[in-house]
Amino acid sequence: MRFNAWQILKQGLSGNRGWHPHWRKPDPKPDYDAIIIGGGGHGLATAYYLAKNHGLTNIAVLEKGYLGGGNIGRNTTIVRANYFLPGNSEFYSHSLKLWEGLEADLNYNVMHSQRGLINLFHSDGQRDAFARRGNAMLAQGDDAILLGREDVRKILPYLDYDQARFPIYGGLYHKRGGTARHDAVAWGYARGADQRGVDLIENCEVTGISVDQGRVTGVTTTRGQIRARKVAIVVAGRSSQVAAMAGLRLPIESHILQAFVTEGLKPVIDHVISFGMGHFYISQSDKGGLVFGGDLDFYASYAARGNLPGVEQVMEAGMALMPMIGRAKLLRSWGGIMDMTPDGSPIIDRTPIDGLYLDAGWCYGGFKAVPASGWCMAHLMATDEPHPVARRFRLDRFATGDLLDEEGTGSQHNLH
Amino acid sequence: MRLICPCCGWRDRREFTYMGADDYLHRPVPDAPPEAWDEYLHNRTNPAGAARDLWYHDPCGTWVCITRDTITHAVTDGTRLEDAQ
Ligand SMILES: Cc1cc2nc3c(=O)[nH]c(=O)nc-3n(C[C@H](O)[C@H](O)[C@H](O)COP(=O)(O)OP(=O)(O)OC[C@H]3O[C@@H](n4cnc5c(N)ncnc54)[C@H](O)[C@@H]3O)c2cc1C
Ligand SMILES: [Zn+2]
C-alpha cells in the first residue's frame, strides 16, 4: 500500500480497518546471499539500499530484539552536515541530501524537520574556529551563516546573555540542520526493505560467526544456523562482542550517553541549539517535550542507563544557558550504548575475513549518518569497493595514522 | 556509582577521572613492532560484564585499577597500579 492523503481519507471513512502491518514476520531461510546483523537504523538502511541500488534481495536482517529497539530509538534525533574534516565532510553532506529526499523515496513520513541548528560560541578563538568550519561547510556545498551576538539574540531571545563564564559571542547557523522522528526512520527503512523482498527477522540473536579458511560462511543464531556468502556486522554498541565471534578485536570502547525529555510544552524552542562549552544541546519535539542531552558519562559501560553525575552536569548546563527551562518538569531520562572509536569517527570497511564487513564506531553521532551509512555500506558489500564518500572510514586507520579526529582532541577512547 | 580508592576508601565517582581499560598496564617495549602499539593504544576487548580499568583519584593523586561490572555498574575492587600490574 502506498501512503498518501487519499488513503488516510479512505481509511478514515471505512473505520480504519484497511491498515496492515508494515512488514512481514518471516522465518529465517537456511541460506541467503547476504546477512546483516543488527536491525537498527544502519542495518535497515543497508538492507534497503542493497535491494534498491544493487538489486540484491535474497538478504536478511537479523535483530536480537525488535526492530528499532536500540540506539535508533534512543537518540536525540539531530540531523546536520556541519563537519569540517575532508573524509567526514563529504559523507555527512551526502547523508543530508539523502535525508532531504528520504520521505518521498521511502513513501514514509519520517518527520524530517529542517528547523535550523545554531552552534553557539563564547570567545574570539572559538569564533575563528567556527568561521573556519562554516567556510569548510560552504566549500562542501552546504550552508552556514556566521551570526554575531545580536543576531543570535534576535533568533533566540530566551538565552542568558549576561552569563559571565561563557558569554555568548555568536553562533554558526546551519539552516538545513534539524531533527527527524527516530523510530519512523527505522520503520520506513524496514518497510521499504521488506517491500523489496528483504527478510527482517526479529528475536534472532547472532551467537556465532562461521569462518572457513579465512572466508565467512554463515552465522549461528538463536533461531538456528544460517548460511551466507556475505555477512555485515552493524550492531553499534555491541560491535566488540559480535566481532569477537569472528576472532576480531576492534578499536572500540562502549560508553553510555544519556538523554532527557520534559513534559510537553507549547512551542518555545524553534531550533536546535548546541552549547558546546557546557556540553549541552536542546530541541523541542513535535509532541512538545524539550529533548536535550550532554556529554558521555565517560567510562566504559553497557548499562542502557546513566549515573546521576551525568544528569547533574546536563541540568546545570541547561540552567546556565536558558534559565527558563528550570520551570519545566523532567519526564524521563535514558541512556544508550555508544560504540566509541579512538578518533571519534566511524568505520565502514571490509575486515581481514573475506565476506565479513563492518559498519561501526558511530559514537554519539550516528543518527544523521543513517542514510549515507546504509548507502555506502550497501555499495561496499555489493561491489567490494569503498564508496567514494566513505573511503576514509577505514578499520586500519589507527594503525596507519590516517586519523579522522574531527574535534582535534587526540586518539584515545576517553577523549571524545 | 562509587569507586574504591586504596588510600581513601569508597568515594563518589565525581572525584575520579577515567583513563581506559587495563590494556594500558601492558605497555610494549620501546622497539616492539607497530602492531603491538596499535593493540596497546587502540584495540580493546571491551567486555560486557567483568572488567578492569584505570581511574585517577583526583583529590589524593592515586592511580587505581578498578574491578567492576560494565552491565550492572557494581564495583568490587580498587587496587594501586603498582599492585595491579
Ligand atoms: C542518548 C543518545 C542521543 C543521541 N543523539 C544523536 C543525535 O542527536 N544525532 C545523531 O546523529 N546521533 C545521535 N545518537 C547516536 C545514534 O543514535 C547512534 O549512533 C546510531 O543509532 C547507531 O546505529 P544504529 O541505529 O544502527 O544502532 P542500534 O539501533 O543500536 O542498532 C544495533 C542493533 O543491533 C542489535 N544487535 C546487537 N547485537 C546483536 C546480535 N548479537 N545479534 C543480532 N542483533 C544484535 C541490537 O539489538 C540493535 O537493535 C545518539 C545516541 C544516544 C544513545
Ligand atoms: Zn584517593
Side-chain angles (χ1 to χ4, degrees):
Chain A
M1 179 198 285
R2 271 194 74 75
F3 295 146
N4 52 34
W6 163 240
Q7 276 295 346
I8 293 174
L9 192 69
K10 185 176 136 194
Q11 296 298 339
L13 292 175
S14 57
N16 282 311
R17 280 185 299 269
W19 302 115
H20 298 292
H22 289 189
W23 55 85
R24 299 163 294 133
K25 302 251 178 218
D27 287 323
K29 290 192 263 182
D31 220 315
Y32 288 97
D33 291 337
I35 281 175
I36 293 153
I37 310 173
H42 292 252
L44 293 167
T46 301
Y48 174 76
Y49 292 118
L50 269 174
K52 179 170 183 248
N53 295 357
H54 305 279
L56 231 73
T57 54
N58 182 30
I59 59 179
V61 176
L62 309 181
E63 165 56 47
K64 75 171 173 188
Y66 60 94
L67 296 185
N71 288 335
I72 188 67
R74 292 171 173 269
N75 65 77
T76 44
T77 78
I78 294 162
V79 173
R80 57 187 166 90
N82 59 351
Y83 283 69
F84 173 72
L85 289 181
N88 278 334
S89 185
E90 61 266 39
F91 175 82
Y92 290 101
S93 178
H94 182 56
S95 207
L96 186 53
K97 287 181 199 120
L98 290 174
W99 276 105
E100 289 171 337
L102 196 59
E103 292 174 337
D105 185 31
L106 295 176
N107 177 230
Y108 209 89
N109 181 8
V110 302
M111 296 167 74
H112 182 216
S113 154
Q114 295 183 294
R115 57 187 67 183
L117 160 74
I118 298 173
N119 277 85
L120 299 171
F121 50 80
H122 313 273
S123 67
D124 290 334
Q126 251 201 320
R127 180 195 287 120
D128 290 349
F130 272 110
R132 189 169 173 228
R133 177 176 294 270
N135 287 337
M137 290 159 67
L138 292 174
Q140 182 57 51
D142 294 315
D143 66 286
I145 302 171
L146 198 68
L147 301 178
R149 176 184 163 93
E150 292 312 311
D151 307 324
V152 175
R153 197 198 289 269
K154 262 182 237 141
I155 306 177
L156 311 173
Y158 46 81
L159 301 184
D160 181 359
Y161 289 86
D162 300 323
Q163 203 205 118
R165 180 66 186 87
F166 295 118
I168 294 170
Y169 273 45
L172 188 64
Y173 190 14
H174 174 39
K175 281 195 173 175
R176 286 160 66 229
T179 60
R181 169 82 199 269
H182 48 13
D183 307 302
V185 175
W187 300 334
Y189 273 117
R191 172 170 165 270
D194 176 83
Q195 282 174 344
R196 284 169 175 78
V198 176
D199 282 356
L200 307 175
I201 300 164
E202 296 172 85
N203 299 312
C204 180
E205 179 171 358
V206 171
T207 54
I209 297 178
S210 318
V211 178
D212 185 27
Q213 296 177 22
R215 241 211 102 73
V216 76
T217 56
V219 296
T220 311
T221 77
T222 47
R223 297 180 66 177
Q225 292 271 19
I226 310 177
R227 285 188 304 277
R229 288 185 303 110
K230 295 186 176 186
V231 173
I233 301 174
V234 196
V235 295
R238 289 282 171 173
S239 297
S240 301
Q241 276 78 43
V242 177
M245 294 172 193
L248 302 176
R249 210 164 166 258
L250 300 182
I252 286 178
E253 192 170 272
S254 294
H255 283 246
I256 328 169
L257 181 69
Q258 303 195 56
F260 308 86
V261 65
T262 68
E263 61 194 338
L265 303 170
K266 288 187 176 171
V268 52
I269 295 179
D270 301 328
H271 306 82
V272 180
I273 304 167
S274 172
F275 171 37
M277 290 313 287
H279 304 288
F280 177 84
Y281 62 95
I282 188 164
S283 68
Q284 187 167 19
S285 81
D286 292 338
K287 273 193 287 186
L290 304 184
V291 180
F292 55 95
D295 234 329
L296 297 175
D297 273 27
F298 274 121
Y299 48 86
S301 170
Y302 285 87
R305 59 184 162 73
N307 254 300
L308 289 172
V311 180
E312 182 183 42
Q313 183 262 312
V314 171
M315 300 305 149
E316 281 177 359
M319 288 299 289
L321 180 68
M322 45 176 84
M324 71 172 183
I325 70 166
R327 296 292 194 91
K329 288 197 180 69
L330 193 67
L331 210 56
R332 288 183 292 126
S333 72
W334 64 94
I337 308 167
M338 314 279 74
D339 35 341
M340 301 302 298
T341 56
D343 63 359
S345 292
I347 296 161
I348 301 182
D349 204 354
R350 292 171 288 241
T351 67
I353 295 164
D354 278 343
L356 185 64
Y357 305 85
L358 179 69
D359 178 304
W362 292 99
C363 304
Y364 33 72
F367 179 65
K368 69 178 94 62
V370 162
S373 166
W375 185 281
C376 296
M377 185 64 173
H379 180 96
L380 176 72
M381 290 176 71
T383 64
D384 257 316
E385 289 297 326
H387 189 281
V389 302
R391 73 193 185 289
R392 300 280 294 269
F393 296 159
R394 295 177 62 114
L395 176 57
D396 68 359
R397 69 175 181 271
F398 306 99
T400 59
D402 293 310
L403 302 173
L404 279 171
D405 183 2
E406 182 77 24
E407 294 171 357
T409 45
S411 182
Q412 254 170 238
H413 302 93
N414 65 335
L415 298 178
H416 294 276
Chain B
M1 185 162 75
R2 292 203 299 165
L3 303 168
I4 305 169
C5 171
C7 295
C8 315
W10 287 95
R11 306 296 300 175
D12 191 292
R13 178 259 177 276
R14 282 169 291 188
E15 293 183 4
F16 293 82
T17 305
Y18 174 75
M19 171 70 183
D22 69 345
D23 297 62
Y24 284 124
L25 293 177
H26 312 295
R27 189 182 174 85
V29 293
D31 54 356
E35 295 75 33
W37 287 98
D38 187 33
E39 279 298 311
Y40 167 71
L41 289 169
H42 306 127
N43 293 337
R44 293 292 174 259
T45 306
N46 195 16
R52 289 203 328 161
D53 39 32
L54 311 189
W55 300 69
Y56 184 71
H57 191 214
D58 302 325
C60 77
T62 303
W63 276 102
V64 191
C65 181
I66 295 283
T67 306
R68 64 189 182 96
D69 189 304
T70 55
I71 297 176
T72 63
H73 290 166
V75 175
T76 45
D77 189 41
T79 324
R80 279 172 195 278
L81 288 204
E82 300 87 287
D83 308 329
Q85 291 291 338

